[in-house]
Amino acid sequence: AAQRARRVADALAGLAFRLRERARWQPRLRELAEEAAESEERAAACLDRARAADEDRRAAQRAADDAHRTARALRAERAEIAGAPDHVSTEDGAPTASLPALREAYRAASQLYEKVGVGADLRAEQARAESDESAALAALDRLTNKVRTRAAQLLEGTDGADGPSRQAAA
């Protein structure tokens, strides 16, 4: 009975200690619960900000893609315009004329060019000259490097200075 009483006393002492400890841990438990709630609120706010930032990123990506498509379309349009420069320089930061104004000027120039019109005989002469040029280029491409080098040397000399000198040398 004495042993049993000691065991019960030890158990009661342990329970009493736990009750005293519990009283000390209750405020800490409330603090931790409050910190956990605050952390969850901060996490939710961060998640909302992350979602908003991701949506902003997607919108910016869509805008950039639209700008790239527009730039490609404008480059293609510029390439179709005869006489347009391949590279547009904007040294002062802004183009000299707006795109609609340039389009209108091109349209007006095209209409004026069509009004002036080139006669059929001049077009035929141009076609003949272009075919002669392509034939001459083909003949030039068939020449060997040795012949080309010798021709370059002759042109650099006094005999190749101008047309009459070349004829006299021939």
Side-chain angles (χ1 to χ4, degrees):
Q3 275 184 341
R4 195 169 169 222
R6 268 184 263 160
R7 273 186 269 155
V8 170
D10 285 343
L12 287 175
L15 288 174
F17 177 75
R18 287 186 188 155
L19 280 175
R20 286 190 304 271
E21 286 295 311
R22 183 174 181 229
R24 275 192 286 172
W25 284 105
Q26 286 296 329
R28 179 67 180 148
L29 183 63
R30 281 191 290 274
E31 288 174 9
L32 290 175
E34 289 173 3
E35 285 180 21
E38 289 174 7
S39 295
E40 287 176 4
E41 288 175 11
R42 283 195 308 265
C46 288
L47 184 61
D48 290 341
R49 282 190 301 200
R51 285 182 182 147
D54 189 50
E55 188 59 35
D56 290 346
R57 180 195 59 82
R58 287 182 184 158
Q61 183 65 44
R62 283 190 298 271
D65 290 343
D66 290 344
H68 286 296
R69 277 192 295 278
T70 302
R72 271 193 302 273
L74 291 175
R75 280 190 206 105
E77 185 178 334
R78 184 180 67 217
E80 292 174 2
I81 297 174
D86 289 336
H87 178 66
V88 178
S89 174
T90 55
E91 295 170 0
D92 57 354
T96 55
S98 68
L99 186 59
L102 291 174
R103 284 181 181 148
E104 180 60 29
Y106 177 74
R107 188 188 59 75
S110 294
Q111 287 177 349
L112 182 62
Y113 179 77
E114 290 300 322
K115 282 182 185 176
V116 169
V118 177
D121 56 336
L122 289 178
R123 287 189 185 140
E125 185 179 335
Q126 178 187 7
R128 278 193 306 275
E130 287 174 353
S131 72
D132 291 346
E133 177 188 16
S134 63
L137 285 173
L140 179 65
D141 289 339
R142 287 191 298 268
L143 293 177
T144 64
N145 282 338
K146 183 177 177 183
V147 172
R148 289 181 192 194
T149 305
R150 181 65 180 141
Q153 289 172 352
L154 289 174
L155 283 175
E156 288 175 5
T158 57
D159 290 340
D162 58 6
S165 297
R166 283 191 293 272
Q167 286 178 348

